[in-house]
């Protein structure tokens, strides 16, 4: 995948690009042409199009100078009122502006730093978000099409312009944004890949390939190894498919941190969820190719964590399987023995996510004695019904951890809302014949699933992120085309950046 290039121009006499992106606030239009901008684009003050300049939120105004100039165009980005300005507005508008650059077939865009300093949001945060948003526009939806895309991504470079040296703080902020976008784009691309092209084995091979030249330690367990580990709950899901499961462990253990109990991220990796014998209706079944969005988020975040050499011990665990009906598939009513030795009554084979996660949680506890486990999963339709397609569910009993996750998610622009791990509902998971039943009633479905996972986490600090609903977009958005969103990738990365323990 092509990645947005980042450049720096530190002398106004050297500034050059096809287009300059300049944010403006409502009521402050008069002062929007900074002295620096006036110096490099003196034509701006007399350009007739300036009379139509709009600063209301979301407005884009394109102003042309002579085509032979080093900066022949300025695109003003209307941010609305100063007092209402939110980071998300900037992010979305940069996304929209970059889409415009792609449509116009431009190759290099520039952002001058001076106007950013005028905005009521910290400059480094703004820079990070500008790069994040711009880099997200690089996603190519047509990667499986025979023909070249009809509108290829031409704008592959963004330069930051200043008069004088650009500080390390600014440069690092820009790199952070770019890195977060790279991770999210990878998660999107993987989650959008059809199941015939990304079976558990192919996914595992891809992970091995991508981690080869990184500091991550990658281990892949095949079906035999998974059986020897006695992951009966995970295997119950995988059994119905002709494509065998894989269990991938990624470890980020930088010097000086390898001895600490790690944080473990676990991602649901159902490469296709047909529902199994409890078959899903046909209508939206094709979307279940992205039922491994949690695993995609964990994998992509781990790559970014390693590339940033973040000072923490972090492990990623990805149980990968297909949930298919077949002669060997688990039947509703079957009882299986999970890795922790407990028996589980499986009443609905479409509630497969919690079954693979239960064993992944036990595995994490057995091998890593983690300080904290966070799972991310497209787990329940009930969560999507409750919260819709913009905000994800967060389940966690430790208030301090809830706060840290919400803080990271706010920076990431991936909103979560806390739902309760309501203790009284745990009795609804009682089974007559096994230690536990994996599903409860339809009512409170997202909570019941979370309680099942919390049962396996037991006394290890635990948070569960239900991203069903937000993992997929029906309608394109300036920062995300239709399809998989990569939601959660950046939150996991921001958590690690914040120094999670
Ligand atoms: N992968 C689905 C949940 C899902 C639904 C994700 C919609 C994204 C969009 C999950 O495996 C599932 O099928 N859950 C069942 C559980 C039920 C049988 C208890 C559900 O939510 O219907
Ligand atoms: Mn299912
Ligand atoms: Zn599923």
């Amino acid at each position: 995948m092509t990645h947005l290039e980042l450049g720096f121009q530190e002398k106004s006499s050297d500034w050059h690009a096809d287009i300059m992106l300049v944010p403006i606030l409502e009521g402050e239009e008069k002062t929007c042409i900074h002295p620096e901008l006036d110096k490099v684009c003196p034509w701006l003050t007399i350009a007739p199009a300036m009379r139509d300049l709009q600063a209301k939120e979301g407005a884009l105004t394109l102003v042309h100078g002579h085509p032979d100039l080093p900066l022949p165009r300025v695109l003003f980005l209307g941010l609305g009122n100063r007092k209402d300005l939110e980071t998300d507005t900037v992010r979305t508008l940069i996304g929209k502006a970059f889409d415009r650059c792609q449509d116009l077939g431009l190759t290099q865009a520039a952002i001058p730093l001076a106007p950013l300093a005028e905005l009521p949001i910290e400059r480094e945060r703004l820079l990070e978000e500008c790069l994040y948003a711009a880099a997200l526009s690089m996603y190519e939806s047509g990667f499986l099409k025979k023909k070249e895309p009809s509108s290829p991504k031409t704008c592959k470079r963004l330069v930051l312009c200043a008069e004088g040296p650009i500080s390390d703080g600014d440069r690092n902020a820009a790199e952070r944004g770019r890195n977060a976008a790279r991770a999210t784009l990878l998660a999107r691309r993987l989650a959008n890949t059809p199941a015939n092209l990304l079976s558990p084995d192919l996914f595992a091979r891809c992970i091995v390939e991508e981690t080869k030249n990184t500091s991550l330690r990658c281990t892949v367990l095949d079906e035999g190894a998974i059986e020897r580990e006695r992951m009966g709950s995970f295997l119950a899901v995988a059994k119905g498919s002709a494509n065998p499961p894989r269990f991938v462990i990624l470890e980020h253990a930088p010097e000086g941190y390898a001895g600490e109990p790690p944080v473990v991220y676990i991602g649901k990796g159902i490469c296709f969820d047909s529902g199994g014998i409890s078959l899903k209706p046909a209508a939206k079944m094709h979307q279940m190719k992205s039922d491994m969005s949690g695993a995609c988020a964990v994998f992509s975040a781990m790559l970014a964590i390693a590339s940033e050499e973040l000072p923490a011990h972090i492990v990623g665990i990805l149980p990968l399987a297909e949930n298919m009906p077949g002669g060997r598939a688990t039947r509703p009513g079957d009882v299986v023995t999970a890795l922790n030795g407990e028996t589980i009554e499986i009443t609905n084979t479409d509630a497969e996510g919690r079954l693979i996660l239960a064993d992944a949680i036990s595995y994490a506890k057995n091998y890593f004695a983690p300080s904290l486990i966070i799972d991310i999963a497209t787990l329940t339709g009930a969560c999507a019904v409750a919260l819709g397609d913009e905000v994800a569910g967060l389940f966690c009993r430790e208030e301090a951890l809830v706060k840290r996750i919400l803080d990271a998610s706010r920076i990431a622009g991936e909103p979560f809302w806390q739902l309760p791990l309501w203790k009284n509902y745990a009795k609804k998971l009682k089974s007559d014949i096994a230690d536990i039943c994996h599903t409860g009633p339809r009512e409170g479905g997202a909570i019941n699933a979370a309680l099942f996972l919390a049962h396996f986490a037991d006394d290890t600090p635990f948070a569960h992120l239900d991203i069903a609903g937000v993992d997929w977009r029906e309608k394109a958005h300036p920062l995300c085309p239709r399809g998989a969103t990569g939601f959660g990738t950046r939150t996991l990365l921001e958590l690690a950046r914040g120094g999670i323990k």
Side-chain angles (χ1 to χ4, degrees), residues 277 285 303 338:
I277 299 295
M285 200 200 274
L303 276 180

Side-chain angles (χ1 to χ4, degrees), residues 364-435:
K365 289 177 46 149
N366 292 352
Y367 281 89
F368 294 104
S371 60
L372 163 64
I373 296 176
I374 301 179
D375 86 276
I376 177 162
T378 46
L379 203 64
T380 65
C383 190
V385 170
L387 297 177
D389 62 2
E390 286 190 14
V391 48
L394 160 62
F395 297 84
C396 178
R397 289 204 171 105
E398 327 242 338
E399 282 314 309
L401 180 54
V402 169
K403 185 176 178 306
R404 273 195 293 160
I405 295 175
L406 291 179
D407 286 348
S409 97
R410 216 166 285 125
I411 292 175
E414 297 170 339
F416 283 83
W417 198 263
Q418 190 181 5
L419 296 173
L421 277 162
W422 196 256
K423 282 206 175 76
N424 283 347
Y425 295 172
K427 58 178 175 288
K428 300 183 191 234
L429 298 174
K430 282 209 170 111
S431 162
D432 294 337
I433 57 170
D435 293 316

Side-chain angles (χ1 to χ4, degrees), residues 459-480:
D459 53 6
T460 301
F462 172 67
H464 160 57
L465 311 177
D466 194 334
I467 55 166
V470 296
D471 68 306
W472 186 273
R473 256 190 184 283
E474 275 300 311
K475 256 184 74 190
H477 176 271
L479 298 177
C480 184

Side-chain angles (χ1 to χ4, degrees), residues 268 270 273 280 288 291 323 350-353 378-379:
K268 171 177 171 180
I270 294 294
D273 182 12
K280 283 185 182 296
M288 287 299 135
D291 207 19
N323 186 24
D350 197 10
E352 83 297 337
T378 46
L379 203 64

Side-chain angles (χ1 to χ4, degrees), residues 23 25 43 64 118 123 130 177 242 278 357 390 429 451 456 501:
L25 290 163
W43 47 269
H64 287 270
E118 304 295 316
R123 178 148 96 220
C130 286
S278 313
L357 294 171
E390 286 190 14
L429 298 174
L451 283 167
F456 287 85
K501 268 203 186 136

